Amino acid sequence: IRRTGSFGALPAQVATPLAVAVTELMHNAVEHGFAGRPGRLDIRVRRTPSALAVVVEDDGAGLPSTFDAATSGGLGLSIVRALVGSELGGQIALGPRDGGGTSVSMQIPVTASGAARE
């Protein structure tokens, strides 16, 4: 696991759902992407005064060709969608990673103080 960038100071109402979302994405990578084999997991964070961009990438098996992010009913991804969209007012996108694996990016609006925008 490698992390680059900084989340900065975040209030609990942002940090808690964000931590759960990132943890769930990491769990999905290990369970589905690596499936018992070693792999690499990268978490990149970029903070601006108005947004927090978080990318979670793995070099695992990648998404199945039949995978549809819009209709996937998996519990883990449903939790991440709810937290990022409803709790944090952000957006999530996922797809193949360049070189193989999966890439998930989250864009979370924040104020300069770190609070999620309402």
Side-chain angles (χ1 to χ4, degrees):
I1 298 176
R2 182 178 70 169
R3 179 191 53 86
T4 55
S6 174
F7 290 90
L10 296 170
Q13 69 265 26
V14 175
T16 301
L18 182 58
V20 172
V22 170
T23 300
E24 187 60 41
L25 292 172
M26 292 169 58
H27 179 267
N28 282 351
V30 171
E31 182 178 0
H32 302 292
F34 301 144
R37 70 167 181 84
R40 181 179 176 144
L41 188 58
D42 291 313
I43 302 165
R44 294 190 314 274
V45 183
R46 187 173 47 92
R47 175 79 182 260
T48 68
S50 62
L52 185 62
V54 181
V55 177
V56 178
E57 289 186 327
D58 67 71
D59 65 353
L63 298 169
S65 60
T66 58
F67 183 83
D68 181 359
T71 61
S72 173
L75 180 60
L77 189 53
S78 296
I79 290 169
V80 172
R81 274 197 209 106
L83 292 170
V84 172
S86 299
E87 294 284 323
L88 298 172
Q91 297 177 337
I92 183 171
L94 64 140
R97 174 185 163 267
D98 288 340
T102 303
S103 178
V104 181
S105 63
M106 299 177 284
Q107 300 291 323
I108 314 288
V110 294
T111 63
S113 67
R117 289 191 179 166
E118 309 215 4

